[in-house]
Amino acid sequence: MQLSFDPSVEAFRAEFVDFLAEHLPSEAEAVQRSESSADVPEWARRWQRTLFDNGWLLPGNTPEFGGRNATLLQQYVYREELSRRRIYHSFNPQGVGIIAASILSFGTPAQQREWAVPILRAELTAALGMSEPGAGSDLAGLRTRAVRDGDHYVVDGQKVWTSGAHDADVLLTFVRTDPAAPKHRGISVLLIPTDTAGVTVRPFPSACAPDDLDFNEVYFEGVRVPVANRIGEENAGWSVANGSLGHERTLLWLSFADRLQDLLTDFRPRTALDNDAYARLVMDSYALRLLGSAALAKESRGEPDVPALSVLKVLGSEAVQAATEHALDTAGPDGLGHPRMTAPQNALNLDHFSSSWFERYLRSFSGTIAGGTSEIQRNIIAQRVLGLPRA
């Protein structure tokens, strides 16, 4: 299946291509590399501001928030042009794609000006404080508490797996403000600057390398947060959470389509069995784009099918994981060599997308976890797509 676009969409694409030709940072300019998902080198901050100021950071937004009121199909071709060049448009993806988007959806105009715009312009970076030691996929099980004290909340508790927290300026933090309420109904959302007294951030390495510091434990001990930093109404954080993940999931399948396309380029089969695996990779890639394009067409006609996005999430994330596992197996002992390159480095992309097969395989697991685990997605598919009973 191949999407066709009307002249207005193709004109939009051509305008963006011309913008990239004029403004794209050079490889020499992009020497400094990002060290975490909230570490944005100065050249990348300038590039993100250029995108924002010209309406190309998030084209679907209004101009005041870095966009140009683009239609869904225009946003698709925008992503397509970035993908062709392997360009990562922000090195603070959660800040731009989830946190700023959540503030724009649920925050006040003052909060949008104070927090969302600086994050979108890379003047601030942000991290997402959701998961806890006892509440990973089950967000409603969180225990970090915020007790109202006049015009402040006092926050105590712990978060974990908080990507980029040690480099972030602010955390979008989910806290329990009514412990007596049903667990989905007693949650609120606070913006907590990381330099606030009582906030302790401890990065820890991933399995990829001892110096791969993105994950963090974050501790809150008597942290005083102004009520003005609450996003949305008190105890209405569950709606913000669903909205936050909704921002992440809407076109999430495109990121998996990108990774599959990268694998089609980078993986070279050696044996007949490898050829079979490569053929599966081709079919998975085509199937994902087919189903994703159909969903995109439906949504552009005003017929969104939100549960069907779970099908795309499971197919895309697990296809990437299976393909990278086979690439690692095919490489044999050489695949475990680390650090090592498996694709030409692209200065405008994340380095781990071209790193060793060992690292690429390990990182594929994040796709089956972030944005809702495969297990959760299968529950959604069973109940809301297939209509199966809960028990």
Side-chain angles (χ1 to χ4, degrees):
M1 178 177 182
Q2 177 63 49
L3 285 177
S4 59
F5 303 103
D6 63 36
S8 66
V9 175
E10 290 300 343
F12 182 90
R13 184 203 300 271
E15 185 180 358
F16 183 48
V17 169
D18 290 343
F19 169 83
L20 291 175
E22 180 178 356
H23 294 284
L24 206 60
S26 67
E27 187 171 331
E29 184 180 358
V31 171
Q32 186 181 357
R33 309 311 299 157
S34 174
E35 298 295 333
S36 80
S37 54
D39 175 44
V40 184
E42 185 53 42
W43 68 265
R45 291 177 185 261
R46 292 194 299 270
W47 166 233
Q48 187 172 316
R49 283 194 288 272
T50 299
L51 288 166
F52 179 95
D53 292 342
N54 289 274
W56 290 117
L57 181 65
L58 295 170
N61 284 3
T62 60
E64 64 181 320
F65 297 124
R68 48 185 58 211
N69 296 310
T71 67
L72 185 62
L73 292 180
Q74 287 173 333
Q75 293 174 62
Y76 176 85
V77 298
Y78 162 85
R79 289 284 301 269
E80 194 172 50
E81 292 304 321
L82 291 177
S83 174
R84 286 175 178 170
R85 295 162 178 79
R86 293 194 178 188
I87 294 174
Y88 212 66
H89 75 301
S90 170
F91 286 87
N92 183 211
Q94 288 188 338
V96 169
I98 301 177
I99 297 164
S102 297
I103 299 169
L104 294 181
S105 295
F106 298 96
T108 65
Q111 290 171 333
Q112 293 169 358
R113 291 189 299 270
E114 181 180 358
W115 300 104
V117 171
I119 290 169
L120 292 172
R121 298 194 77 247
E123 295 161 357
L124 296 175
T125 61
L128 187 63
M130 277 189 168
S131 296
E132 298 186 3
S137 298
D138 179 21
L139 174 66
L142 69 84
R143 296 181 180 178
T144 295
R145 294 184 61 174
V147 178
R148 184 76 176 258
D149 180 20
D151 59 358
H152 283 74
Y153 289 100
V154 180
V155 180
D156 290 277
Q158 179 188 356
K159 300 293 179 179
V160 75
W161 312 113
T162 315
S163 299
H166 61 300
D167 288 318
D169 297 301
V170 64
L171 306 174
L172 186 73
T173 312
F174 289 75
V175 297
R176 187 161 300 285
T177 42
D178 185 355
K183 65 179 187 176
H184 291 80
R185 298 180 184 175
I187 296 172
S188 300
V189 185
L190 302 176
L191 284 164
I192 304 180
T194 53
D195 62 358
T196 305
V199 177
T200 301
V201 179
R202 296 178 183 170
F204 59 91
S206 76
C208 295
D211 60 352
D212 178 45
L213 299 177
D214 191 35
F215 292 141
N216 287 266
E217 296 175 305
V218 183
Y219 297 89
F220 304 94
E221 297 177 275
V223 178
R224 296 184 64 81
V225 182
V227 172
N229 284 23
R230 188 187 67 225
I231 303 300
E233 297 299 319
E234 185 170 279
N235 299 323
W238 190 251
S239 297
V240 180
N242 286 332
S244 298
L245 295 177
H247 290 303
E248 186 180 33
R249 289 171 181 161
T250 302
L251 291 176
L252 184 61
W253 68 271
L254 279 173
S255 64
F256 298 120
D258 291 347
R259 300 290 78 74
L260 290 173
Q261 183 58 49
D262 292 348
L263 286 160
L264 286 170
T265 302
D266 302 337
F267 172 48
R268 286 291 173 261
R270 299 178 182 178
T271 67
L273 288 176
D274 293 343
N275 288 334
D276 287 345
Y278 193 83
R280 286 195 298 274
L281 169 59
V282 172
M283 289 186 288
D284 285 342
S285 178
Y286 280 27
L288 181 61
R289 289 195 179 273
L290 167 66
L291 294 173
S293 297
L296 189 71
K298 287 184 66 175
E299 188 160 346
S300 70
R301 296 194 300 268
E303 305 168 9
D305 186 1
V306 175
L309 297 177
S310 293
V311 177
L312 299 176
K313 169 70 162 58
V314 172
L315 170 60
S317 62
E318 295 189 0
V320 169
Q321 190 171 106
T324 51
E325 181 179 19
H326 194 87
L328 176 61
D329 287 343
T330 297
D334 288 343
L336 298 175
H338 187 74
R340 186 166 293 179
M341 302 292 287
T342 53
Q345 183 183 20
N346 185 327
L348 303 182
N349 205 356
L350 294 181
D351 291 343
H352 62 245
F353 288 144
S354 56
S355 62
S356 68
W357 287 122
F358 168 76
E359 180 169 352
R360 290 176 72 166
Y361 172 59
L362 288 183
R363 291 190 183 278
S364 73
F365 284 85
S366 66
T368 61
I369 299 171
T373 65
S374 288
E375 292 77 10
I376 286 176
Q377 302 301 332
R378 282 184 165 83
N379 284 339
I380 294 172
I381 294 168
Q383 295 164 18
R384 300 179 62 189
V385 177
L386 301 178
L388 298 178
R390 286 181 176 269

